[in-house]
Amino acid sequence: MSVAKVIEVAASSPKSFQDAIDSGVERAAKTVNNLQGGWIKEMKVDIENGKVTAYRVNMKLTFVLED
């Protein structure tokens, strides 16, 4: 039987939501083993002078606990 844990991660990017998601997952994978999946909980943009300056995501990532 396996047991999983869920963590919440916030990430941002000046390029796109996809880039923010990718960088958040890549960073989490450096310190968390066995990442299995994720849910995008929130998406937000920062706007300055009528232009998007940052794409932000809050996501929940699931990993399986080791024995």
Side-chain angles (χ1 to χ4, degrees), residues 3-4 10 12 15 18-19 25-26 28 31-32 36 41-42 44-46 50 52-53 56 60:
V3 176
S12 65
K15 297 178 187 175
Q18 186 64 52
D19 192 53
V25 170
E26 287 172 15
T31 55
V32 176
Q36 299 291 313
K41 187 175 156 186
E42 295 178 303
K44 176 186 180 270
V45 293
D46 291 345
V52 174
T53 58
R56 300 183 183 279
K60 291 188 174 189

Side-chain angles (χ1 to χ4, degrees), residues 17-62:
F17 285 119
Q18 186 64 52
D19 192 53
I21 293 166
D22 291 343
S23 64
V25 170
E26 287 172 15
R27 176 59 186 89
K30 288 181 181 179
T31 55
V32 176
N33 295 326
N34 302 321
L35 284 174
Q36 299 291 313
W39 298 272
I40 306 306
K41 187 175 156 186
E42 295 178 303
M43 299 170 82
K44 176 186 180 270
V45 293
D46 291 345
I47 300 171
E48 291 180 22
N49 299 322
K51 298 202 181 228
V52 174
T53 58
Y55 299 85
R56 300 183 183 279
V57 294
N58 288 331
M59 54 189 154
K60 291 188 174 189
L61 301 177
T62 303

